[in-house]
Amino acid sequence: MRRKDREVKDLQEILNIIDACKVCRIAMQDKEGLYIVPMNFGYIYTEGCLQLYFHSAKEGRKIEAFKANSDICFEMDCEHRLIEGDKACDYSYAYKSIIGYGKVVFIDEPEEKKLALSALMKHQTGKDFKFTDNMTDSVCVFKIVARDFSGKARY
């Protein structure tokens, strides 16, 4: 990270940033080239491991890319605010962001799919939901197991 003065090192502050973000952009590469997709997500952080949960259609470019190469990069950001100045070069922008790397793992086991979808809905709505096998069977559920991630903020 070039701007060490903006690095967020405290794990709890990083988790607070993740809590505030509602969209995660996942970057991948397939035979057509680089591809990035914004997605709603949920997450669990436990025992030093960040797992981001997503759901989508069962087929498409993203799914095929993940099957061919599970290595990804992800980004999320929030709390945007223009910082005004007297002249153009004095303007800036406040933000908080997370960037990380990990692997996509498809979730097939019904109980883990329910856990993942529950975490996603809790993160997005603040509410608890229950899922049936029929509900989980209709979507693809996957997680990103983050092997490395960092936070950055401009206040």
Side-chain angles (χ1 to χ4, degrees):
M1 182 176 303
R2 187 182 66 80
R3 293 291 308 259
K4 293 290 186 186
D5 60 317
R6 295 188 182 168
E7 182 177 13
V8 176
K9 294 182 181 181
D10 179 70
L11 177 61
Q12 188 55 57
E13 179 59 22
I14 289 172
L15 295 177
N16 290 344
I17 294 169
I18 294 171
D19 281 338
C21 294
K22 299 302 179 194
V23 174
C24 179
R25 291 162 196 82
I26 306 170
M28 65 208 84
Q29 185 162 4
D30 67 7
K31 62 186 176 204
E32 295 179 45
L34 297 173
Y35 184 54
I36 189 166
V37 63
M39 298 187 72
N40 295 109
F41 71 99
Y43 80 98
I44 293 176
Y45 181 84
T46 183
E47 298 178 19
C49 182
L50 175 62
Q51 296 184 74
L52 303 169
Y53 295 109
F54 305 86
H55 81 292
S56 75
K58 292 183 175 185
E59 57 187 37
R61 182 176 178 187
K62 169 181 71 251
I63 299 302
E64 292 308 312
F66 292 159
K67 288 178 181 178
N69 181 359
S70 64
D71 292 321
I72 59 84
C73 178
F74 65 90
E75 185 276 345
M76 57 186 80
D77 54 81
C78 59
E79 300 189 25
H80 310 108
R81 181 179 50 82
L82 180 65
I83 299 170
E84 295 186 20
D86 291 330
K87 52 188 189 274
C89 293
D90 293 337
Y91 276 72
S92 188
Y93 212 75
Y95 64 90
K96 294 181 180 179
S97 67
I98 305 292
I99 293 178
Y101 305 89
K103 288 200 172 284
V104 170
V105 177
F106 290 99
I107 301 173
D108 295 316
E109 198 277 317
E111 292 309 309
E112 189 177 2
K113 281 178 104 170
K114 290 174 187 176
L115 171 84
L117 292 170
S118 293
L120 191 157
M121 290 304 296
K122 181 73 170 185
H123 181 70
Q124 294 298 316
T125 69
K127 298 177 184 177
D128 293 313
F129 289 88
K130 295 198 186 290
F131 293 88
T132 66
D133 288 343
N134 284 343
M135 295 163 87
T136 62
D137 287 344
S138 67
V139 295
C140 174
V141 178
F142 62 92
K143 64 184 172 184
I144 293 173
V145 179
R147 67 176 184 270
D148 181 32
F149 56 95
S150 61
K152 191 173 177 182
R154 168 82 165 98
Y155 301 99

